[in-house]
Amino acid sequence: MTTFSIRPAQPHDIAPIHAMIVELAVFEKLEHLVVATEALLHEGLFGAHPSCEAIVGEEDGEVVCFALFFHNFSTFLTRKGLYLEDLYVRQSHRGKGYGTRMLTRLAQIAVERNCGRFEWSVLDWNAPAIGFYQQMGAEVLPDWRICRVTGDGLRALAERPA
C-alpha cells in the first residue's frame, strides 16, 4: 500500500527540491532562466534570514512534490497573505491527488496564520493547471498582469535619480 504524507521541508530535501525546480522550468519552457543552485536554495529556505518556506510531499519516503511559498502583505486588507511561488508534482506521480492535498495544506497554513488571502500565478497557456485551480475554488483574475524587473533592468531602475 502506498503512503503519502506532507511535511515542512528540511535541509536534506534541498537536492530533490532543486531537481524538481529544474523539471518545472523544463515543463514551463523556462529552463534558460534557472540560475538556482542547491546552495542558494538552502540559503533562501534555511539561511540566517530565510526568505521563503517549503513543504514537501513524500510517497513511501520519497519526495515527489514540493510547494515553495512566502508571506506578502495586502494594503487593502491590512493583513499578511500567503503567496505560493511554485507547486510541482513529478510527472510520474500526477493523477494521485497529491496536488490537491498540497494546495489544501497550504490553505490550512494560510488559515492557521490568519492570512487575509492565498494567491499565486499561473501561465496563461497552462489550461490543465488553470482548470485544476478553478476546481479547487480559485478565481483567475482577468484584469491583473504581473510586472517584473530583473537583471540589468533592475540595476538600471535602482540607479535612476530619485
Side-chain angles (χ1 to χ4, degrees), residues 43 46-50:
E43 182 65 25
F46 305 109
H49 303 284

Side-chain angles (χ1 to χ4, degrees), residues 27 120-123 125-135 140:
F27 171 77
W120 59 91
S121 301
V122 61
L123 292 167
W125 57 260
N126 195 345
I130 292 169
F132 167 68
Y133 295 143
Q134 289 174 324
Q135 180 184 9
V140 178

Side-chain angles (χ1 to χ4, degrees), residues 4-14 16-17 20 46 53-69 101-102 105-106 109:
F4 180 77
S5 61
I6 298 171
R7 61 172 174 76
Q10 300 297 317
H12 66 269
D13 298 316
I14 292 295
I17 293 172
M20 287 186 281
F46 305 109
E53 299 175 64
I55 56 174
V56 296
E58 290 183 316
E59 182 184 272
D60 296 333
E62 175 191 358
V63 175
V64 298
C65 52
F66 81 97
L68 193 139
F69 60 97
R101 290 178 64 181
M102 295 286 283
R105 180 63 192 124
L106 290 164
I109 292 169

Side-chain angles (χ1 to χ4, degrees), residues 54-151:
I55 56 174
V56 296
E58 290 183 316
E59 182 184 272
D60 296 333
E62 175 191 358
V63 175
V64 298
C65 52
F66 81 97
L68 193 139
F69 60 97
F70 55 88
H71 287 286
N72 56 14
F73 188 81
S74 167
T75 52
F76 289 1
L77 298 177
T78 58
R79 290 172 60 190
K80 67 182 173 184
L82 193 75
Y83 187 84
L84 172 61
E85 180 65 21
D86 282 310
L87 169 61
Y88 183 76
V89 178
R90 286 204 152 129
Q91 180 71 34
S92 59
H93 292 78
R94 293 183 188 156
K96 299 179 180 182
Y98 297 166
T100 299
R101 290 178 64 181
M102 295 286 283
L103 206 59
T104 299
R105 180 63 192 124
L106 290 164
Q108 291 168 349
I109 292 169
V111 169
E112 289 164 6
R113 295 180 183 183
N114 196 32
C115 294
R117 60 184 173 201
F118 172 34
E119 59 191 355
W120 59 91
S121 301
V122 61
L123 292 167
D124 62 356
W125 57 260
N126 195 345
I130 292 169
F132 167 68
Y133 295 143
Q134 289 174 324
Q135 180 184 9
M136 295 293 294
E139 175 186 2
V140 178
L141 302 176
D143 300 330
W144 290 87
R145 299 293 181 263
I146 297 169
C147 299
R148 179 176 292 161
V149 183
T150 63

